[in-house]
Amino acid sequence: METIKQQNEIDIKNPRMLLFSICFVLMFSVMNGTMFNIAIPDIAEAFNLMPSEVSWVMTGYIMVYSVGALIYGKLADTVAFKKLITFGLTVFAIGSIIGFLAPNYYFVLVARVIQAIGGSMMPAIAFIAPIRYFPNERGKILGIIASVMAFASGIGPILGGVIAGFLSWQFLFLTSALMIVTLPFLLKNLPDEETVNVRLDYLGASLVGVTIASTLIGITLGFVYSLYIAIGFGILAVLRMFKAKNPFIPPHLFKSRNYLVAILTSFLAVACLFGLMFTVPIMLREVYSLSTMEIGLVMFPGAISAALIGRKGGRLVDQKGARKVYLASLALLSTGFLIVSSTVGLSPLIISLMLIFPMMCFPLVQASGADLLANLLAKHETGVGMGVFNLLNFVSGALSGAIAGVVLDLFRPENPVNFLALSGESAVYSNLFLTFMGLVLIGLIAFKLVYRDGEKMA
């Protein structure tokens, strides 16, 4: 397969401005997904909606966003970045304007879907650009990218609460539309590349999309029949993967045990991190009776620590190697979950400080995991390989939140499994964080046993 020009032919006019523009757009793209968590009650009140109805503001966005990240990753192997970014930002801005002017709930949902179609371009581009344009500083740049994502995930609810509180939830759409101002800077600093040999397995993409969508619907909304549909379409997607001449996802990616164990351990780690960010606000509201703004302030130090550690962690990837940093970050993450599990029930100030330990691991896991995959993937398959990585990360976030919500609904033990934690209504949260620790440890052990240095993908 032909690909766009390789690194030694690429001339970037202003690398610093290019990186700043990518980070700015990525930050707003990620915040757009988390800001609306705060506004869900306001949207439900505005249109007199049931919780199951208004949940589609998030569910619909995540479904389209996760599948879109994979599609953009596939296209990035053959389509010039300038075209992808122009299309993505323009579509996202159109969706934002529709949402701001939405006269009813139907238009809000349409706006969120359009936003997701455009916004899902950014994670794909953000993780591929360092590999393509900054090969000598790849780890450092990936660290910066991952720290921006972690910071945006943490700051999103705070910003959403301020905007929705002082103005209204419609202005969240208008705030997101600000991403479009970076388009001229991106177009000016991105190198001119030739789009060649654009081929996409539309049937394969559709089968993967339906599988992901029906899985998320089944888990988030509790529709059992949707899970049966997911299994059926998943089987068809796998068959298509092996039968198609140019499959949407090349099956040989999963024949590499290094690639497979890297994306699966990343899936577990990111699922636990997103589960933490989903669970902590609920815990702070139920156990400590904190307001939305106070919850944001408790989580703020963790978000800041993630932003600060990302760049240094990225440099460590370049200096020490992705494998060593990945193993260390998984070990630190499991320790962080143990610390949080042990201190649940203590004062909000202590909780705020303890959250720093797991949250600062977010950019370390993302940067070192992405660098591992970059070392494994052939240049002409960087896009689709990283696209699968992004797809699983976003799906893991949606699944972990849904599963954590079910656990909190069904189980309310008085005594925690962790003997260091306090008894009472906080026990279920301590148990949940201890479960996260166990899942990360499973991933750590699996990675150490399976991953082999120097093994290249066939």
Side-chain angles (χ1 to χ4, degrees), residues 3 24 36 144 174 209 260 285 302 403 429 434 449:
T3 57
F24 183 84
F36 280 84
I144 295 173
L174 202 59
L260 198 57
R285 178 64 58 85
I403 294 172
Y429 297 101
L434 198 66
L449 292 176

Side-chain angles (χ1 to χ4, degrees), residues 78-127:
T78 52
V79 180
F81 272 18
K82 282 188 176 182
K83 289 188 177 181
L84 292 179
I85 287 176
T86 301
F87 175 81
L89 290 184
T90 303
V91 170
F92 186 88
I94 292 172
S96 300
I97 294 171
I98 292 174
F100 179 69
L101 301 174
N104 54 50
Y105 182 55
Y106 172 78
F107 275 89
V108 172
L109 288 183
V110 170
R112 289 291 282 167
V113 169
I114 294 175
Q115 276 191 326
I117 292 172
S120 57
M121 166 272 303
M122 273 319 300
I125 300 299
F127 277 99

Side-chain angles (χ1 to χ4, degrees), residues 369-382:
D371 196 75
L372 277 172
L373 297 181
N375 290 327
L376 293 172
L377 295 165
K379 289 183 178 181
H380 68 275
E381 289 183 332
T382 300

Side-chain angles (χ1 to χ4, degrees), residues 247-304:
F248 181 58
I249 302 176
H252 70 263
L253 288 178
F254 306 106
K255 293 180 181 179
S256 166
R257 64 179 183 179
N258 279 0
Y259 180 83
L260 198 57
V261 75
I263 61 173
L264 291 180
T265 53
S266 175
F267 177 91
L268 285 176
V270 173
C272 293
L273 282 163
F274 275 107
L276 174 77
M277 288 187 279
F278 171 85
T279 306
V280 168
I282 299 175
M283 178 190 73
L284 294 175
R285 178 64 58 85
E286 291 190 355
V287 178
Y288 299 96
S289 301
L290 299 184
S291 67
T292 300
M293 184 60 67
E294 289 170 334
I295 290 172
L297 291 174
V298 169
M299 299 185 70
F300 186 70
I304 286 293

Side-chain angles (χ1 to χ4, degrees), residues 98-167:
I98 292 174
F100 179 69
L101 301 174
N104 54 50
Y105 182 55
Y106 172 78
F107 275 89
V108 172
L109 288 183
V110 170
R112 289 291 282 167
V113 169
I114 294 175
Q115 276 191 326
I117 292 172
S120 57
M121 166 272 303
M122 273 319 300
I125 300 299
F127 277 99
I128 298 171
I131 299 170
R132 183 174 294 172
Y133 301 140
F134 304 93
N136 297 325
E137 298 180 299
R138 187 174 64 198
K140 184 180 78 172
I141 304 301
L142 285 170
I144 295 173
I145 295 293
S147 67
V148 169
M149 290 187 68
F151 177 73
S153 298
I155 203 68
I158 302 174
L159 184 61
V162 171
I163 294 172
F166 285 95
L167 297 171

Side-chain angles (χ1 to χ4, degrees), residues 211 230-240:
T211 301
I231 294 172
F233 275 90
I235 293 172
L236 292 175
V238 172
L239 292 175
R240 176 66 181 177

